[in-house]
Amino acid sequence: MLETGQAPPLTSEPRKPVNPLLRRKPVEQMVAEGGQGEGGTLRRSLTMWQLTMISIGATLGTGIFVVLGEAAPKAGPAVTISFVIAGLTALFSALSYAELAGSVPVSGSSYSYSYATMGEFIAWVCGWCLVLEYAVSVAAVAVGWGQYLNELLDGTIGVTIPDAVSAPLGEGGFINLPSLVVVLLAMVFLMRGAKESARINTIMVAVKIVTLVLFIGIGVMGIKSGNYAPLAPLGITGISAAASTLFFSYIGFDAASTAGEEAKNPKKDLPRAIMLSLGIVTVLYCLVAFVAVGALPWKDFEGTEAALAQIMTNVTGDSFWGVVLAAGAVVAIASVVFAVLYGQTRILFAMSRDGLVPKVFAKVDEKTGAPRANVVIVSLFCGALAAFIPLGELANATSIGTLFAFALVNVAVVILRRTKPDMPRTFKVALFPVTPILGFLACGYMMYSLPTATWIAFGVWMAVGLVVYFLYGIRRSRLATAEVATAEK
């Protein structure tokens, strides 16, 4: 009989000696140890609706409120097409995620799926990419939050936060204090546990949906047909480059999959939440982008991270509506920080339980059922990134980490279909294996479209990850320790 918080013993697969880099973690073990951490367990309290709200919370708002100002100057009025391309690319991977989330409902997301199918080394690479994806995403979104906070303050009390403490190094300031504050606020809420956090997230998501619908209703009155010509001033290259940046805005369903060990009925609810949230987000993104570039010349998006509030003020001639939009954006972007930070902590929870990162990340507070030490460490790290790193580089770094992880998920679903064809699946990818292959190729193409500087940063990050794995993870892995214990008997 296992004690509370004690995970079942791991055995490597297969039983004969294998290359340590290729040892796989059995799916059955993953499911059996669900929720179990150091000193306590995560609590299954999230419904399908709450999972959907986590997914929407991590997604909706990022691309529209923040990164639209980065993407529109690249694609011009065709930025709506860029959103569609990014959404379709996300859809291919979302289908693979939905199948794996229903079959292997664990907190590790694509990291765990890779561990079960491609071995420990690939799982580590994937997990390291997810650390980049989530941590940098939190920081990038938090940077944009400060821009809308300034819009709100200017419209209400006529003051703004000085650049010295509201902009990162390299952009006219020394520290982005507002972005640090929003990360720390998210940290405080997440420490209360998944159930309480989900309630707060649902309220924030409702506010941002209402805000975007309001923008569409008012912004459409300011559309000028001349703003749509030329449609693609920088050609297909600009559209692809913008799509690669905007793909960063579609990682919400990945956050939903990290809640696998806190969902009440994960096998059914996770696939539904993933697909429903992606559909809602894509429709709203495209509508808002179409209205925005119709109401504001695409060149005017350059250098602004609060374009929607500006559009509302221009269309109505009244700063009140810009203030309303800015207030909604402040809540909306805070919910993205909140939900993505949640996903990051749960991925590190799974990696820690497997022994690949320190045990502190898997320690669960008995009172709240939350990995509180994990939340604090991750929040402080993300807050530091948000305070000192410019937005553009953060968004691109997130995109490449996301695309790499999603590519592996598409591979994992193919492998698991072949190695475990009879495993119960509550959701199956349509047009298999064409869909996951297209998903893999789409991710590869969008990675290719990213700038050289992003690839260099990604290479450096992966090099650091390899050092960490070979100095720490490969020896402390629970699969490795299980093999040693078996050999000594």
Side-chain angles (χ1 to χ4, degrees):
M1 181 70 70
L2 293 173
E3 297 179 1
T4 301
Q6 180 182 352
L10 288 176
T11 57
S12 57
E13 184 182 274
R15 290 184 179 279
K16 63 181 180 180
V18 296
N19 186 323
L21 303 182
L22 301 178
R23 54 195 175 206
R24 292 175 293 163
K25 183 178 178 182
V27 172
E28 296 78 9
Q29 290 285 354
M30 290 184 180
V31 176
E33 68 183 19
Q36 298 178 11
E38 294 288 330
T41 59
L42 301 177
R43 297 172 184 172
R44 293 196 177 277
S45 59
L46 302 179
T47 64
M48 194 275 286
W49 175 250
Q50 290 173 322
L51 293 169
T52 303
M53 291 299 102
I54 288 174
S55 183
I56 294 176
T59 311
L60 185 59
T62 309
I64 289 297
F65 288 112
V66 181
V67 189
L68 182 61
E70 294 272 331
K74 297 178 181 178
V79 69
T80 304
I81 299 175
S82 298
F83 269 110
V84 172
I85 293 173
L88 287 174
T89 304
L91 176 61
F92 291 134
S93 297
L95 291 168
S96 294
Y97 262 102
E99 176 170 326
L100 293 173
S103 307
V104 192
V106 294
S107 292
S109 185
S110 52
Y111 154 76
S112 294
Y113 310 150
S114 297
Y115 213 160
T117 56
M118 290 173 274
E120 183 174 285
F121 178 71
I122 298 298
W124 168 262
V125 171
C126 184
W128 194 247
C129 284
L130 290 173
V131 171
L132 176 68
E133 169 193 338
Y134 278 88
V136 176
S137 176
V138 169
V141 176
V143 169
W145 184 81
Q147 300 293 328
Y148 276 97
L149 179 62
N150 260 338
E151 289 283 330
L152 180 60
L153 293 174
D154 186 39
T156 52
I157 59 178
V159 300
T160 58
I161 303 173
D163 289 344
V165 292
S166 65
L169 293 170
E171 293 191 352
F174 298 100
I175 181 174
N176 192 327
L177 191 58
S179 65
L180 176 60
V181 169
V182 73
V183 173
L184 295 181
L185 285 174
M187 176 189 76
V188 171
F189 288 126
L190 284 172
M191 290 176 67
R192 300 176 62 183
K195 186 175 182 179
E196 291 75 12
S197 299
R199 291 173 179 169
I200 297 168
N201 178 69
T202 299
I203 294 171
M204 291 193 291
V205 170
V207 170
K208 69 173 156 185
I209 290 177
V210 171
T211 301
L212 289 176
V213 171
L214 178 64
F215 171 81
I216 294 170
I218 293 178
V220 71
M221 296 185 294
I223 290 178
K224 297 177 182 178
S225 58
N227 287 339
Y228 293 114
L231 180 63
L234 302 179
I236 188 65
T237 301
I239 294 174
S240 297
S244 296
T245 298
L246 290 171
F247 188 81
F248 152 84
S249 309
Y250 286 92
I251 66 170
F253 63 84
D254 187 25
S257 71
T258 65
E261 296 177 28
E262 291 167 286
K264 289 183 177 180
N265 188 4
K267 289 183 176 292
K268 291 184 178 180
D269 290 346
L270 282 176
R272 293 171 181 171
I274 288 170
M275 300 313 300
L276 179 60
S277 62
L278 184 61
I280 293 172
V281 165
T282 302
V283 169
L284 280 171
Y285 273 168
C286 291
L287 287 175
V288 173
F290 179 79
V291 171
V293 294
L296 184 70
W298 66 274
K299 292 183 179 180
D300 291 350
F301 283 87
E302 185 75 42
T304 178
E305 290 161 3
L308 300 191
Q310 179 182 333
I311 291 171
M312 291 279 273
T313 299
N314 293 346
V315 170
T316 62
D318 188 343
S319 61
F320 170 77
W321 293 106
V323 172
V324 171
L325 194 287
V330 167
V331 175
I333 298 173
S335 75
V336 178
V337 172
F338 179 87
V340 176
L341 191 62
Y342 167 85
Q344 171 72 99
T345 60
R346 270 46 180 184
I347 288 168
L348 283 171
F349 172 86
M351 295 177 72
S352 175
R353 184 171 56 197
D354 292 335
L356 298 181
V357 297
K359 290 183 178 181
V360 65
F361 291 101
K363 187 175 182 180
V364 177
D365 182 77
E366 293 184 6
K367 182 178 179 180
T368 63
R372 302 186 75 173
N374 183 341
V375 170
V376 171
I377 295 170
V378 171
S379 298
L380 293 178
F381 176 72
C382 293
L385 285 180
F388 298 108
I389 305 297
L391 172 62
E393 293 304 317
L394 288 175
N396 285 336
T398 300
S399 291
I400 198 168
T402 305
L403 287 164
F404 190 87
F406 283 12
L408 291 180
V409 169
N410 285 294
V411 174
V413 78
V414 174
I415 294 176
L416 203 59
R417 281 280 192 104
R418 295 188 179 279
T419 57
K420 292 186 176 293
D422 299 325
M423 185 174 69
R425 291 172 170 84
T426 55
F427 180 92
K428 287 189 175 183
V429 172
L431 301 177
F432 180 89
V434 175
T435 299
I437 291 174
L438 288 176
F440 177 83
L441 294 176
C443 289
Y445 174 73
M446 295 187 76
M447 289 178 71
Y448 174 78
S449 300
L450 290 169
T452 302
T454 301
W455 276 97
I456 293 174
F458 181 67
V460 172
W461 176 257
M462 294 311 301
V464 172
L466 293 179
V467 172
V468 173
Y469 176 69
F470 285 109
L471 291 181
Y472 183 92
I474 194 171
R475 292 179 298 173
R476 295 177 180 267
S477 159
R478 286 184 57 222
L479 289 182
T481 55
E483 287 177 353
V484 171
T486 300
E488 291 176 349
K489 290 182 179 179

